[in-house]
Structures are given as C-alpha cells and as structure tokens.
C-alpha cells in the first residue's frame, strides 16, 4: 500500500517596486480566469475537459501544460465541493433540529404569564428564530437537490462582493461601473502553475533557481496569447523566509514544485507547494504530553509529566471574530508560533481534540450572541492544519483524541484539585487521554455516586455522561449560572504561563485504591 506523501506550502510576497511584473501577472490572471470560467461552463454541459484541450489552446492562447494546470485545478475545486456537501447537509439538519428546539422552548416560555416587556422581547426573538429556521430549511433543500442532481455551483469572485451590486451605497460604491471593475478584478485574481518531477526545476511553467540565502529566481512561462512582444518568460525574484530548505531540497532532488500566484490588496504573492522533508521524531511520550484545548478566543495549554500530573499551564490568545481570511491566518500563525516556542525544547508530543466542530457550530442557536459569533468565526480546520505543519517542522508528534466529556471531567476531577481553570483542566484531560491514563471519578468528589450493579461494567464515560446531563439541568434551572466556564482575562495580550510546581509528581496519575475510593 502506497504511503501518501506529505506536502508543504509556503508563501511570500513578490517585490515589484516598478509595477512591470504586476502588469504581466494581471494579464496572466485575467486570461486564466476567462478560460477557467469557460471550461467550467462547458463541464456543466457535460463536456469532458480532455475533449476541449485543442479548442481552448487555440481559443485562449494557452500551452498544453497550462491547460492541464487549469483543468486539474478546476477538477479539484469541483471534487472538494462534492466531498464537502454531505457534511454541509448534516450540519444543516443539525442546525434545523436545534432551531426547532429553541423555538419550542420559546413557545413554552410564552405560554406562561410574564410581563409585557419580557413577552415582547421573547416574541421578537421567536420571530428571528423562525426566520433563521426558514433560511436554514431552504438551504438544506437546495443542498439536497444539488446533491441528487450532481449540480456544482461555483462563484468565481466572492459571493459577498457579488451581492454588493444590489446595495451599492451601503457597500461603498457610487456607481455600478465601479462595482463591476472590482468584480472583474476579483474574478481574475489568481492562477495556478502545476509541477511535475519529470520537468526542469520540477515545473515547466515556472522554473525556480536558488540564488543563495533566502533568495530565489522564478522564470514564469507566459501563455502564447501574451507573447506578442516576443518575450516568452517573466523573471521574478523572491525572498522565501519560511520553507527555504524545503524548496532547495525539491529543486536539488528534482521533485515536483507547483506555484499558485494570488493578488491581494497589497500586490502579488506566490504560494510554493513542495514535498515535505522526511519527518524526524524529536518527542517522546514517556516524558509526558502537552495538551491543547481549543476555545472560541484562546488556546488553553497544559503540560504534564509522564504520570499525567500538570507541570505548567499556558493561555494563548486567539480571537478570529471580525477578521478576514488573511488576518485570521496571521492570528493563527502567531498563536501556533507561541505554542511551538513553549513546546519545542520540552521533547513532548502535542495532544489535541479530534473535534467534530461542525456539530458544535450547529448548536449555536441556544448560545449567547457574543459567544456564538466568536465560535462561528473559529477556523478549527485551519488551526489544526497549521499546528500539524509547525509540529512537523519541529519533529513533534501530534496525537488526536476524542474530546468526549473533557470539559466535564476537567472541571469536576482536576480543576479544584490542581487549581486549574476549567479550560486548562480540559487540556489536562486531553493530555492524560493521550497517555491512556485513568478517567475514573474521584470517590470523594460531590459528583461521585455509586452506580447500579448492572452498570458497573460499562465504560467510565457512562458516568460522565450522567454528570454532564445533571449539569445541563442545573444550568437550565439557573442554579449554577455563575459557575459556567468563561474565557480567562487578559486574552488580547501576550500568552500567560503558570508553572504548577507543587503538582509535579505530587499525585500519581493512577491513584491508589485508598486515594481513589476513600
């Protein structure tokens, strides 16, 4: 069985003080965008891309390799949409179910005698939830219809920008022509150059050359349609602060190198994709584990020794609400950098949640507006991908574990015992779970109660499920509303660390019977 090769993508900005390279790249992107949209329209009609190769090469002035890159990139977009669609349908079902539960709860509250002001507030909330429920149901029906018909919808540009034409003034436009210029620019803002190990420099369409240090020269092959002046190539020089070793190795070993050029508000950037260097393991579970609990506005980190006892805790701010895609990636990069600085020299693997975040987002109907907005904006998949990439560079193993009841176990079993916040206690549970340590309840704890004899052979999570259900009932009753976990203070500053020296080695992770059962 073939092992999947790990790929790595690094990016950098293309310096172009005179603007000459930018004009060439703009023309390339415009031609690429027009060809891509035409190819997608033809594929929607059922025409195979291979049957259109000669026609598109003549029609748009492309080389065979450039058409191949265009077709492969478009096929990848279509495949990703189809693969993601089942997940979106499941999310829509969960959201609809939760919204109906919230509406039913509001109806129950409205059936009771309440003050006029409170009734008006509940009626308004119910109205908004009904509107949202109708929107979610319409989206669900559309997704199912597209799946059954095999229909794929792609907005070349941005949907938000497309909708801006219907309210120009509110979106900062004085005329439709001004919006149209931005729309055409957004639809032609990137192009892809595919690589192959059989080609010079790993890529016929863009040949890289190492100049020393972090400096590289790229020789970009222009489409024949843009070679009216007789110049077939555009030379670009870039500094690659991250991934220099990766690209040098790929060029030396004649591996495939692919390039994606993308324009943003500041100019052009290039994304270089290569095969990652072999992974060298520098971590050892026998030393302990560093657990990471992902929250809406921060990362809670807890380091353990090999017994599973907490040694140090760290809070890393990570707020993505209100940020665009690039700003979000920058914030994630900074947070993961802080985590790597904490973990790099400890030689311990990282333990994270194998989280079905789609289900968690589907339950936002019953959350408060502020927390719901922050959680909805959380890019969990991007955080996980960035963490794995940086851990790969540092030689640290990443262990993913089921996050079931980690918050409940952390709060009830470890928070008070070690003086941890609920989030750091959850991170401790994740780390202990990576070490396959016990999660049995403390018999002296107030949550502990004897299980019936028929249930004593069940998994320990059956107990924690009962605890979680009891906590939810108490929350609904309002008796413990002040005890709900909140984000720790000062999250917008630097990462905060706390060393738990008294806990290190103080209590073995696998307690004795006397300590465990009293």
């Amino acid at each position: 069985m073939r092992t999947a090769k790990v790929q790595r993508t690094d990016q950098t900005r293309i310096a172009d003080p005179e603007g000459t390279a930018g004009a060439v790249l703009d023309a390339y992107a415009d031609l690429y965008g027009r060809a891509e949209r035409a190819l997608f329209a033809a594929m929607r009609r059922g025409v195979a891309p291979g049957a259109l190769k000669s026609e598109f090469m003549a029609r748009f002035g492309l080389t065979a390799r450039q058409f191949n890159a265009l077709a492969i990139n478009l096929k990848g977009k279509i495949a990703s949409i189809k693969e993601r669609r089942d997940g979106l349908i499941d999310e829509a079902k969960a959201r609809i179910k939760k919204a109906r539960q919230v509406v039913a709860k509001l109806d129950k509250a409205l059936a009771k005698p309440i003050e006029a002001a409170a009734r008006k507030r509940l009626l308004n909330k119910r109205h908004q939830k009904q509107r949202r429920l109708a929107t979610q149901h319409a989206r669900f029906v559309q997704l199912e219809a597209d799946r059954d018909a095999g229909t794929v919808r792609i907005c070349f540009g941005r949907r938000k920008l497309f909708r801006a034409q219907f309210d120009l003034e509110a979106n900062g436009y004085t005329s439709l022509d001004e919006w149209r210029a931005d729309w055409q620019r957004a639809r032609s803002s990137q192009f892809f150059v595919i690589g192959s190990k059989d080609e010079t420099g790993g890529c016929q369409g863009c040949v890289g050359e190492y100049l020393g240090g972090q400096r590289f020269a790229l020789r970009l092959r222009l489409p024949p349609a843009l070679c009216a002046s007789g110049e077939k190539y555009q030379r670009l020089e870039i500094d690659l602060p991250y991934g220099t070793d990766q690209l040098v190795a790929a060029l030396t070993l004649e591996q495939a190198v692919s390039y994606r050029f993308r324009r943003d508000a500041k100019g052009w950037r290039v994304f270089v994709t290569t095969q990652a260097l072999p992974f060298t393991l520098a971590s050892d579970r026998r030393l302990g584990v560093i657990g990471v609990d992902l929250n809406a506005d921060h990362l809670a980190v807890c380091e353990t020794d090999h017994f599973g006892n907490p040694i140090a805790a760290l809070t890393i701010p990570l707020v993505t609400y209100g940020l665009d895609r690039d700003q979000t990636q920058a914030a994630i990069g900074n947070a993961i950098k802080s985590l790597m600085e904490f973990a790099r020299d400890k030689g311990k693997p990282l333990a994270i949640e194998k989280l079905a975040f789609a289900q968690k987002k589907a339950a936002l109907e019953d959350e408060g507006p502020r927390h719901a907005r922050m959680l909805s904006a959380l890019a969990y998949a991007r955080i996980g991908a960035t963490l794995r990439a940086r851990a790969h560079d540092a030689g640290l193993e990443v262990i993913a574990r089921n996050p079931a009841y980690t918050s409940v176990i952390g709060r009830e079993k470890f928070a008070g015992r070690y003086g941890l916040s609920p989030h750091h206690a959850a991170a401790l549970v994740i780390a202990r779970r990576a070490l396959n340590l016990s999660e049995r309840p403390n018999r002296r704890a107030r949550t502990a109660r004897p299980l019936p004899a028929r249930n004593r052979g069940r998994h320990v999570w059956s107990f924690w499920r009962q605890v979680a259900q009891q906590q939810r009932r108490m929350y609904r009753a309002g008796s413990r509303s002040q005890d709900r976990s909140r984000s720790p203070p000062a999250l917008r500053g630097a990462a905060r660390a706390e060393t738990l020296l008294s806990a290190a080695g103080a209590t073995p992770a696998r307690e004795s019977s006397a300590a465990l059962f009293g």
Side-chain angles (χ1 to χ4, degrees):
M1 182 170 142
R2 295 181 60 185
T3 304
K5 295 181 179 179
V6 179
Q7 291 188 328
R8 173 194 174 104
T9 298
D10 297 284
Q11 61 168 303
T12 187
R13 189 165 298 281
I14 299 175
D16 183 29
E18 299 179 0
T20 54
V24 175
L25 297 177
D26 288 345
Y28 195 142
D30 180 68
L31 178 65
Y32 185 94
R34 288 188 286 112
E36 184 179 35
R37 297 192 293 272
L39 182 59
F40 178 69
M43 293 176 67
R44 284 286 302 268
R45 296 193 299 268
V47 183
L52 300 169
K53 185 170 184 177
S54 299
E55 176 189 342
F56 271 61
M57 289 174 59
R59 177 181 171 186
F60 292 99
L62 303 172
T63 65
R65 194 61 178 160
Q66 289 165 351
F67 175 84
N68 291 342
L70 175 69
I72 291 172
N73 188 48
L74 185 56
K75 287 179 181 178
K77 290 181 180 179
I78 294 173
S80 66
I81 291 173
K82 290 182 176 180
E83 183 177 351
R84 181 71 180 101
R85 188 153 49 197
D86 288 339
L88 292 175
I89 291 174
D90 292 339
E91 288 179 32
K93 288 180 180 178
R95 289 175 184 267
I96 290 171
K97 180 180 178 181
K98 186 63 179 180
R100 286 173 175 167
Q101 292 174 352
V102 174
V103 171
K105 186 191 300 184
L106 292 172
D107 288 339
K108 188 176 180 180
L110 288 168
K112 300 177 182 179
I114 54 177
E115 296 181 358
R119 177 174 294 276
K120 182 178 180 180
R121 185 170 60 253
L122 288 177
L123 284 171
N124 180 65
K125 185 176 181 179
R126 184 184 184 280
H127 172 69
Q128 299 300 332
K129 293 296 181 182
Q130 288 280 35
R131 290 185 59 189
R132 180 169 175 78
L133 179 59
T135 301
Q136 292 291 343
H137 186 266
R139 184 167 184 263
F140 168 71
V141 172
Q142 184 66 65
L143 286 169
E144 281 203 322
D146 287 347
R147 182 189 60 184
D148 296 341
T151 302
V152 173
R153 305 173 188 274
I154 299 179
C155 178
F156 295 95
R158 298 192 306 273
R159 292 187 180 182
K160 182 178 180 180
L161 181 57
F162 177 77
R163 296 190 182 105
Q165 65 177 309
F166 305 116
D167 193 353
L168 296 173
E169 185 176 351
N171 289 279
Y173 292 104
T174 58
S175 66
L176 186 62
D177 291 337
E178 184 180 353
W179 169 85
R180 187 177 290 111
D182 282 354
W183 172 245
Q184 293 298 337
R185 184 174 176 81
R187 284 158 67 87
S188 303
S189 59
Q190 61 178 312
F191 60 91
F192 179 62
V193 185
I194 192 170
S196 173
K197 64 180 182 180
D198 301 325
E199 299 173 350
T200 303
C203 183
Q204 183 186 85
C206 186
V207 180
E209 178 187 356
Y210 183 48
L211 301 180
Q214 300 178 353
R215 196 75 173 168
F216 293 87
L218 304 180
R219 189 183 65 176
L220 178 65
R221 174 68 164 90
L222 301 179
L226 304 179
C227 299
S229 62
E231 184 60 49
K232 293 183 179 181
Y233 301 97
Q234 174 66 44
R235 180 181 172 86
L236 307 167
E237 291 193 5
I238 60 172
D239 287 310
L240 195 63
Y242 302 102
T244 299
D245 295 341
Q246 307 280 337
L247 183 53
V248 170
L251 295 175
T252 304
L253 300 175
E254 298 182 352
Q255 297 174 349
V257 184
S258 296
Y259 301 86
R260 181 179 298 277
F261 293 83
R262 182 182 173 191
R263 182 182 57 220
D264 57 21
K266 296 182 180 180
W268 281 93
R269 290 186 295 170
V270 58
F271 297 75
V272 184
T273 301
T274 61
Q275 181 178 332
L277 293 174
F279 179 77
T280 303
L281 185 63
S283 60
D284 189 344
R285 299 190 192 190
R286 293 173 295 181
L287 299 176
V289 172
I290 298 174
V292 182
D293 180 48
L294 179 59
N295 298 281
D297 56 357
H298 71 285
L299 302 179
V301 184
C302 186
E303 179 191 357
T304 72
D305 61 17
H306 64 287
F307 291 115
N309 299 310
I311 297 175
L314 177 70
T315 298
I316 302 176
L318 178 55
V319 179
T320 58
Y321 174 66
L323 305 182
D324 61 27
R325 183 181 181 87
D326 295 332
Q327 291 171 335
T328 297
Q329 185 58 55
I332 292 172
N334 291 335
I336 299 302
K337 180 181 178 181
S338 298
L339 175 59
M340 289 299 107
E341 290 173 352
F342 175 79
R344 183 174 287 108
D345 298 330
K346 300 182 184 297
K348 300 178 181 180
L350 300 171
I352 63 173
E353 305 165 281
K354 189 189 297 180
L355 197 59
F357 222 71
Q359 298 176 4
K360 196 168 184 179
K361 286 188 176 182
L364 296 182
E365 298 292 340
D366 209 16
E367 293 284 353
R370 179 179 176 274
H371 183 73
R373 285 194 297 267
M374 296 179 69
L375 187 59
S376 179
L378 188 61
Y380 173 76
R382 207 178 307 174
I383 294 172
T386 306
L387 172 60
R388 286 183 171 85
R390 299 289 82 80
H392 182 278
D393 294 343
L396 301 180
E397 180 186 8
V398 177
I399 308 168
R401 286 291 183 262
N402 189 328
Y405 309 113
T406 51
S407 296
V408 176
I409 298 172
R411 182 185 299 112
E412 300 296 339
K413 184 175 172 70
F414 297 115
R417 185 178 189 178
Y418 291 116
L420 297 170
S421 72
H423 298 302
H424 288 130
L428 173 60
V429 175
I430 295 169
R432 288 173 57 88
R433 194 166 287 180
L435 291 170
N436 298 319
L437 297 178
S438 171
E439 294 180 347
R440 291 171 294 182
N442 300 327
R443 289 296 180 175
R444 292 179 178 176
R446 57 188 170 82
T447 55
R449 53 191 179 279
L451 293 175
R454 66 180 180 276
N455 294 342
R456 290 176 187 170
R458 293 186 179 181
H459 195 279
V460 69
W461 286 357
S462 63
F463 170 81
W464 293 115
R465 181 171 63 251
Q466 295 176 28
V467 175
Q469 291 171 350
Q470 181 186 31
Q471 287 183 352
R472 283 195 292 269
R473 288 194 294 268
M474 296 177 71
Y475 289 154
R476 293 190 187 103
S479 60
R480 290 182 59 186
S481 60
Q482 298 301 319
D483 294 335
R484 300 190 70 174
S485 60
R486 298 300 184 195
S487 302
L491 287 178
R492 292 191 178 274
R496 296 186 298 109
E498 178 182 359
T499 302
L500 309 173
L501 296 177
S502 60
T507 306
R510 295 192 177 276
E511 299 90 343
S512 66
S513 297
L516 187 63
F517 299 107

